[in-house]
Amino acid sequence: FACAMVCIQQADIFMFDEPSSYLDVKQRLNAAVAIRDLIQFDKYIIVVEHDLSVLDYLSDFVCCLYGVPGAYGVVTVPFSVREGINVFLDGFVPTENLRFREDALVFKVSENATEEEIKRMTRYDYPSMAKTMGSFKLQVDAGQFSDSEIIVLLGENGTGKTTFIRL
C-alpha cells in the first residue's frame, strides 16, 4: 500500500526504503514492477533494498554503503548491478582498494559436497499427505530430504506453506 501511494505521486524524485519487506514473492515482484514503471528521463528513483534477488531484478546501478553504526557511513560510487552485488558480498571495494568487512559472504553450494560428505548424509522419507481446511486443500507428494539440506518453501501467501509445516 505504501509503495503504491508513493508511485501515484507527481514527483521528480522517488525514494523507497525496503519496499519488499514483509511481502511474499509475487508481491515483491509487483512492487518492483511498479517502481520500474516510474522510470522516465526526468525522474530519479532511489531504493534501499536488502533482498539481493529483488535488488538484482529492480536495479540499474548499485551503491554499497558501509561504516560504523552511529559513527560514520560511506557510499560507494555506483557499480553495475552484478559488480555492486559482488562488492557487497566480497566486502571489498576495488575502486577504493578498501576492505569494509573482514570475511566475504559466501553462498555454500551443496553440489560441491565431496563423496565422503554425501555418504554421511542421513536421508529421511516423508509420505504423501493431504489436508483440507474449508475450501482450501493442500496436496503434498511423497519425497525425501537429508540432514545436510536446507529446504525453503517458496510461494505466495495463502498457498499452504505453514499448513504443510504443521502436518
Side-chain angles (χ1 to χ4, degrees), residues 4-166:
M5 290 300 295
V6 172
C7 288
I8 63 172
Q9 302 300 312
Q10 294 293 339
D12 296 326
I13 301 172
F14 295 90
M15 300 179 77
F16 297 88
D17 188 7
E18 301 182 45
S20 70
S21 293
Y22 305 107
L23 300 179
D24 70 24
V25 175
K26 185 176 181 181
Q27 293 166 336
R28 286 172 187 238
L29 289 175
N30 287 341
V33 167
I35 292 169
R36 285 204 68 83
D37 284 347
L38 294 171
I39 294 173
Q40 294 180 21
F41 75 95
D42 60 345
K43 306 285 184 205
Y44 298 91
I45 303 167
I46 300 168
V47 180
V48 174
E49 185 57 70
H50 298 277
D51 182 321
L52 294 180
S53 60
V54 172
L55 181 140
D56 184 39
Y57 179 79
L58 180 62
S59 304
D60 294 315
F61 296 97
V62 174
C63 295
C64 296
L65 282 75
Y66 62 91
V68 175
Y72 70 92
V74 178
V75 180
T76 67
V77 296
F79 291 105
S80 69
V81 176
R82 177 178 289 198
E83 188 176 14
I85 289 172
N86 286 330
V87 164
F88 175 76
L89 293 174
D90 291 342
F92 178 74
V93 185
T95 56
E96 309 280 331
N97 194 26
L98 180 103
R99 177 156 299 286
F100 61 87
R101 188 181 330 102
E102 189 125 344
D103 298 314
L105 302 176
V106 179
F107 294 100
K108 184 177 179 183
V109 180
S110 62
E111 289 88 26
N112 294 338
T114 65
E115 286 185 42
E116 187 60 35
E117 289 172 324
I118 292 170
K119 288 178 189 174
R120 288 191 299 240
M121 294 179 194
T122 303
R123 292 228 172 261
Y124 303 95
D125 294 316
Y126 59 89
S128 60
M129 300 175 261
K131 178 78 173 181
T132 302
M133 299 173 72
S135 62
F136 177 80
K137 181 171 184 173
L138 174 67
Q139 181 69 41
V140 179
D141 294 332
Q144 62 178 218
F145 61 94
S146 77
D147 57 2
S148 66
E149 296 175 328
I150 297 173
I151 299 173
V152 176
L153 303 177
L154 182 63
E156 291 182 56
N157 290 337
T159 58
K161 297 178 301 292
T162 303
T163 302
F164 173 68
I165 291 296
R166 292 180 179 163

